[in-house]
């Protein structure tokens, strides 16, 4: 399981770094910090889903977390969609 989580973390980091490289995310974006934030979000959502938290509640939490992504964006979304 740790190796699977590592793969997810690396994919998130690549996506965020690509966004910085292409100008979709601000040049000053803290790639490691943003990766940690969204990795934690993925882990937390999966645990909450397993514990029976409603999809509506999870979606609401994700919407709030995505506000941090939107604050860093400078152009069209990369890796989202």
């Amino acid at each position: 399981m740790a190796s699977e989580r590592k793969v997810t973390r690396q994919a998130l980091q690549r996506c965020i770094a690509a966004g910085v490289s292409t100008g979709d995310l601000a040049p000053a974006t803290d790639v490691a910090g943003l990766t940690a934030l969204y990795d934690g979000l993925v882990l937390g959502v999966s645990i909450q889903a397993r514990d029976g938290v409603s999809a509506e509640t999870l979606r609401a939490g994700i919407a709030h977390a995505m506000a941090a992504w939107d604050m860093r964006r400078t152009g069209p979304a990369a890796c989202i969609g």
Side-chain angles (χ1 to χ4, degrees):
M1 292 189 106
S3 63
E4 291 174 13
R5 289 190 299 273
K6 183 178 180 181
V7 168
T8 299
R9 228 178 355 268
Q10 290 171 336
L12 287 167
Q13 186 170 11
R14 282 192 306 275
C15 180
I16 292 166
V20 173
S21 294
T22 62
D24 291 330
L25 293 173
T29 297
D30 176 357
V31 174
L34 207 54
T35 299
L37 171 68
Y38 287 104
D39 184 45
L41 176 68
V42 169
L43 294 170
V45 166
S46 66
I47 290 168
Q48 290 179 6
R50 187 173 51 213
D51 288 348
V53 175
S54 73
E56 179 182 355
T57 298
L58 295 175
R59 284 188 194 101
I62 290 167
H64 287 291
M66 291 310 296
W69 180 272
D70 290 340
M71 288 182 358
R72 303 303 313 176
R73 286 194 52 216
T74 61
C79 301
I80 299 178

